[in-house]
Amino acid sequence: MAEMKRQQNLDNATGYSYEINDEILRLIDESGLLIADLTGGNKNVYHEIGFLMGLNQGRGLPHENFLLLHNGSISKAADDVGFNLSNIKQLRVSDTNSLREEVKEQIAIYYGLKNNP
């Protein structure tokens, strides 16, 4: 039987180890905008989106501080995007170049650097 091991990293500043999951969740909590790539249906990404949605709900905030992406040139959205996220705005493109340009535009809109068309 295989032994399960936890991923831990050493914080060079403090000398203490910490679990990478704790660090990811802390960074999500401190972030202004979470960009989540749904391409491939990564379950960790769903966990991270759900964590931020829970924070938003607990703080009485709308779910406007994340951008959901899907690249159709890699996999089918129907296979990757769960029903619980299907009604939330998503940026779906069919090539990586379009994805890059659309993400840049959405970031500019979110941070008020560009007006929403």
Side-chain angles (χ1 to χ4, degrees):
M1 176 178 243
E3 181 181 332
M4 291 186 61
K5 295 183 180 181
R6 291 187 174 177
Q7 174 74 29
Q8 291 191 345
N9 291 325
L10 183 63
D11 183 334
N12 291 330
T14 65
Y16 295 104
S17 64
Y18 61 93
E19 292 187 33
I20 192 70
N21 193 48
D22 294 339
E23 180 72 2
I24 291 169
L25 297 180
R26 183 187 65 76
L27 291 170
I28 290 170
D29 186 21
E30 295 173 357
S31 71
L33 176 67
L34 173 69
I35 300 173
D37 187 354
L38 302 174
T39 308
N42 184 325
K43 290 173 180 41
N44 293 326
V45 173
Y46 275 85
H47 171 73
E48 293 156 5
I49 295 166
F51 176 75
L52 184 56
M53 291 175 81
L55 288 175
N56 286 345
Q57 188 164 348
R59 295 171 178 162
L61 300 173
H63 298 310
E64 297 174 350
N65 57 344
F66 53 85
L67 175 59
L68 305 180
L69 316 172
H70 189 274
N71 188 340
S73 68
I74 296 174
S75 60
K76 295 179 185 176
D79 296 335
D80 297 338
V81 180
F83 75 94
N84 58 331
L85 296 180
S86 61
N87 64 340
I88 297 175
K89 180 182 173 186
Q90 300 168 20
L91 179 57
R92 294 186 183 184
V93 296
S94 58
D95 67 89
T96 304
N97 289 329
S98 295
L99 179 64
R100 180 182 59 246
E101 294 307 312
E102 291 288 337
V103 167
K104 285 173 24 180
E105 182 173 335
Q106 291 301 312
I107 290 171
I109 291 169
Y110 180 82
Y111 286 104
L113 305 173
K114 182 177 182 180
N115 291 330
N116 196 352

